[in-house]
Amino acid sequence: MTPRRVPDEILHEIFSSALSVPDETFSSHRSASVPPEAVDEPGSSILLVCKRWLRIATPLLYKTVILRSRGQAQALELALRSNPQLGLLIKQLRIEGGYGVSMYTVLRAAKNLADICVSLDLDEKDSSKGLCHGLKLISPARLVLVYYPAQFTIRRSTLDLIEAVVTCIPKWNNLAVVEMPHDSPEGISDHNDVVAKPLKSAKNLRSLVLSGYEKHLFADGIIPQYISDIASNPYLQEIRPKVLPRKSLGIGFAQVVQGNPRLSELFDLRRFGISPFVYPAQLTANPQLEDTIWDRILSHLFQIIHPEDGEWDEDDEMEFELPPAPSSYLLVCKLFARLGIPHLYRNPYLDSVLALGNLSQRLADQPSLGVHVRRLSLWIYGDYADSVPFEDIVTRLPGMLEFKLDGHPLYRWSWKVITELAMHCGGSLQTFQAPIVGSMAETIDPSILAQFPRMRSFTWDCEVAFDTAGITDVTNMLSQLKDLSIGAAHPSFHTIMSQMQLPALRSLKFNPNATMIPNGLFLPTHGGKLEELTLAPAHMTSDADVFTLCPSIKVLTSRCRSGSKISLGTSKWRHPHRSIERIVLWTRGFVEDTESRLVDFLASIDPTLLPALREIQHDAFDWTSVHKPPSSLMVQWANHFIARNIHLVHEKGGRWRPRRQYVAEKEGNYLD
């Protein structure tokens, strides 16, 4: 039976989801709409499948064009010279790079261009002459000006570009929407004043959109002069923020707007977070629905972002403002107190003995609170930790899933941490991490590990000796363990772990302070299960063959000391390893010769011995800059490995792409 042909309309919908660019990306107020490390394979690969896909996908690909480099601009120029009809498909154009000669050709061909977004953060090697001349050839309906204030530098090319925009605005008869950055670092407010002058008389201007962080948005209720100037345009219908501010701009701002008849016509205060709140009647009538909705809201408010998680929002990081204390939400009303208490205690972060003492007292006064605790993280320095009342706390936490202790690098916690957890929380605990003191007068019965049947992530950093001569059967212990990290450890620990089956083990990490791995232990027993392995050359004996012992690993991480030779932690490499897909190189600190040592390492890699390898990762492979000279050794090696389908990537995932290479430009002739 012949399969039915998929209609063009369905393919169009499928391709739209893959090739369309969201407006929040196109008009992002960052100078880079998408970080280079986040750019995956180009969507143009869809066009290479067949002629039918080419016909359907081409209009979608060219509808929104984002140019991030000079190489991309030159590639688009070449395509438009070969087929000028492609220029008619361009409806939106965002320019983050390639402002020179090529841009003139692009704008001349884009006769149907409706939206143009221009980053004012030009590279020192960029010339804006091509874009300046090309702006005279278009008449967009929407103009978006963007920059990233932390990186913004005022250059001659930037001033020329702003002057060209100011000159063209009166000639753009279709211009209805203008988006401007509101942030005001030194010098930028002058540019806003300059751009505001032609906007005062733009006859088709309907909307002014303000982008930027709300910490700069009308601070102290002051309306900047350039906004007042634009507001005098009788054709303007609204002034609004690009996104709803995360917090209200305050009564002062509202009073200034309401006191000015023209501004009160243009500003909808609800869009700036200023609006009276009326409690929905349907929630009062349905208590169950009311609880469900407010519980979801409170669960978001009580999510504590731990410093070690690295999840701080970039805008929060720039504002240097701490969120309100979570407990303050409990004081709003009885409903918030009843629904919020489980969220408050689910994930307490304790950074002092005082905070820990308060938790202990709370649990003593109200033992029922302990059932809500799922994760307990303690960050306490030095001798203060000796006064931690572990027994008083852990006895009241029957459902705890994660337990982490940290502090001063030289401080180690007492053995009672293990014994108390095993006795009171062992049945539920899934994650454990704590450096434990190893000076015990007697050996430890390994049966204590059997009290953690649900353990999935286990970090062992303790040199206590286990009794390996006893009759304890350890075979079925830690049967759910998936991730194991080993720091300082007594050889008896390796012996005990080698006797276990560990059927779920997939990841093994030897931390920098790990001792030498004994021969004939652990890796020969469990290496075949591992998919991820982290080690250092200093951890391995001279006759260890990691590739043979671990035939299934997909990710191999090598930790190398600062200034030492970068290697894969094995001196033997006899046969191809057919599973390794990614190699991660980790070096402590970044020293001057890091690049040269990386080059030596890359020269030692034989791709024929690693047929599945697709990525080599190191922090020095930073491709965030769009201009890399061809003479760079890193660029040469990156191109060398790309030819073999292997990419040099940064920690954040950014890959080198030849289009980011610096390309010299010749001055062009502009025929207006």
Side-chain angles (χ1 to χ4, degrees), residues 448-486:
I448 191 172
L449 299 178
Q451 299 184 52
F452 301 100
R454 300 182 62 189
M455 186 69 69
R456 295 181 59 81
S457 178
F458 191 38
T459 299
W460 183 259
D461 192 358
C462 177
E463 295 186 277
V464 67
F466 283 92
D467 180 11
T468 59
I471 59 175
T472 302
D473 184 10
V474 300
T475 305
N476 297 318
M477 293 183 185
L478 302 178
S479 60
Q480 296 188 29
L481 184 63
K482 181 180 179 181
D483 303 316
L484 175 62
S485 298
I486 302 177

Side-chain angles (χ1 to χ4, degrees), residues 433-573:
Q433 175 183 321
I436 305 298
V437 67
S439 56
M440 302 291 291
E442 55 197 25
T443 57
I444 301 299
D445 190 336
S447 62
I448 191 172
L449 299 178
Q451 299 184 52
F452 301 100
R454 300 182 62 189
M455 186 69 69
R456 295 181 59 81
S457 178
F458 191 38
T459 299
W460 183 259
D461 192 358
C462 177
E463 295 186 277
V464 67
F466 283 92
D467 180 11
T468 59
I471 59 175
T472 302
D473 184 10
V474 300
T475 305
N476 297 318
M477 293 183 185
L478 302 178
S479 60
Q480 296 188 29
L481 184 63
K482 181 180 179 181
D483 303 316
L484 175 62
S485 298
I486 302 177
H490 191 273
S492 59
F493 175 78
H494 292 278
T495 301
I496 294 297
M497 298 301 291
S498 299
Q499 294 173 358
M500 298 181 187
Q501 292 184 353
L502 303 180
L505 186 65
R506 294 297 179 268
S507 174
L508 174 62
K509 178 189 296 183
F510 290 100
N511 295 329
N513 65 327
T515 51
M516 183 71 73
I517 303 173
N519 282 334
L521 295 177
F522 207 96
L523 287 182
T525 306
H526 302 296
K529 311 184 188 77
L530 299 178
E531 296 180 357
E532 298 184 10
L533 175 63
T534 300
L535 44 76
H539 298 156
M540 307 302 297
T541 56
S542 59
D543 59 344
D545 186 355
V546 176
F547 293 92
T548 301
L549 296 175
C550 308
S552 301
I553 55 173
K554 298 179 180 179
V555 180
L556 175 62
T557 301
S558 178
R559 293 176 174 266
C560 304
R561 295 175 180 174
S562 178
S564 64
K565 179 181 178 181
I566 299 178
S567 69
L568 294 179
T570 178
S571 59
K572 296 185 177 181
W573 196 346

Side-chain angles (χ1 to χ4, degrees), residues 613-630:
L613 183 64
R614 293 297 174 263
E615 292 183 350
I616 302 176
Q617 175 183 317
H618 191 276
D619 285 348
F621 302 145
D622 185 3
W623 312 117
T624 54
S625 172
V626 297
H627 296 307
K628 292 288 185 181

Side-chain angles (χ1 to χ4, degrees), residues 28-70:
S28 171
H29 68 280
R30 310 287 188 185
S31 43
S33 57
V34 179
E37 61 268 14
V39 179
D40 204 345
E41 293 300 324
S44 57
S45 57
I46 294 179
L47 279 64
L48 305 177
V49 175
C50 63
K51 291 183 178 180
R52 185 179 178 220
W53 284 29
L54 173 66
R55 172 175 53 82
I56 298 173
T58 296
L60 298 172
L61 178 67
Y62 282 89
K63 179 181 179 181
T64 301
V65 176
I66 299 179
L67 299 177
R68 300 185 176 90
S69 69
R70 184 173 301 173

Side-chain angles (χ1 to χ4, degrees), residues 14-249:
I14 296 174
F15 295 159
S16 294
S17 61
L19 297 176
S20 61
V21 178
D23 187 73
E24 56 267 24
T25 299
F26 168 77
S27 62
S28 171
H29 68 280
R30 310 287 188 185
S31 43
S33 57
V34 179
E37 61 268 14
V39 179
D40 204 345
E41 293 300 324
S44 57
S45 57
I46 294 179
L47 279 64
L48 305 177
V49 175
C50 63
K51 291 183 178 180
R52 185 179 178 220
W53 284 29
L54 173 66
R55 172 175 53 82
I56 298 173
T58 296
L60 298 172
L61 178 67
Y62 282 89
K63 179 181 179 181
T64 301
V65 176
I66 299 179
L67 299 177
R68 300 185 176 90
S69 69
R70 184 173 301 173
Q72 286 183 316
Q74 292 178 344
L76 179 59
E77 177 192 20
L78 179 62
L80 296 178
R81 287 186 183 277
S82 302
N83 186 357
Q85 295 300 314
L86 294 177
L88 302 177
L89 303 176
I90 301 177
K91 302 297 191 299
Q92 295 181 313
L93 177 63
R94 180 181 175 102
I95 306 169
E96 301 173 5
Y99 301 81
V101 179
S102 301
M103 193 55 60
Y104 179 81
T105 304
V106 171
L107 293 177
R108 185 173 57 183
K111 300 183 183 300
N112 295 326
L113 185 65
D115 300 349
I116 183 169
C117 178
V118 181
S119 171
L120 302 179
D121 189 10
L122 276 68
D123 188 87
E124 60 183 2
K125 297 180 181 179
D126 278 325
S127 168
S128 61
K129 291 184 178 180
L131 177 57
C132 292
H133 285 78
L135 291 176
K136 304 173 185 178
L137 308 178
I138 61 175
S139 182
R142 179 187 180 197
L143 169 66
V144 183
L145 300 176
V146 300
Y147 66 86
Y148 187 41
Q151 300 174 351
F152 188 80
T153 303
I154 301 175
R155 298 187 172 91
R156 181 69 255 175
S157 55
T158 301
L159 297 176
D160 293 341
L161 179 55
I162 294 175
E163 182 179 352
V165 171
V166 170
T167 303
C168 291
I169 285 177
K171 303 176 183 178
W172 289 344
N173 296 325
N174 298 323
L175 186 62
V177 180
V178 174
E179 295 189 19
M180 298 175 61
H182 184 75
D183 293 6
S184 300
E186 183 178 357
I188 303 305
S189 58
D190 295 338
H191 297 329
N192 288 344
D193 293 337
V194 172
V195 176
K197 292 179 180 179
L199 292 178
K200 291 192 298 184
S201 56
K203 294 184 178 180
N204 289 311
L205 185 63
R206 298 294 181 265
S207 179
L208 175 64
V209 182
L210 303 175
S211 61
Y213 304 105
E214 60 265 26
K215 69 172 182 176
H216 292 308
L217 202 58
F218 309 130
D220 303 323
I222 299 175
I223 306 295
Q225 183 60 43
Y226 77 90
I227 292 182
S228 299
D229 291 343
I230 300 175
S232 65
N233 186 329
Y235 301 99
L236 188 65
Q237 297 178 357
E238 65 169 355
I239 299 178
R240 59 181 175 85
K242 184 172 180 59
V243 295
L244 181 67
R246 292 174 296 175
K247 55 187 178 184
S248 173
L249 297 182

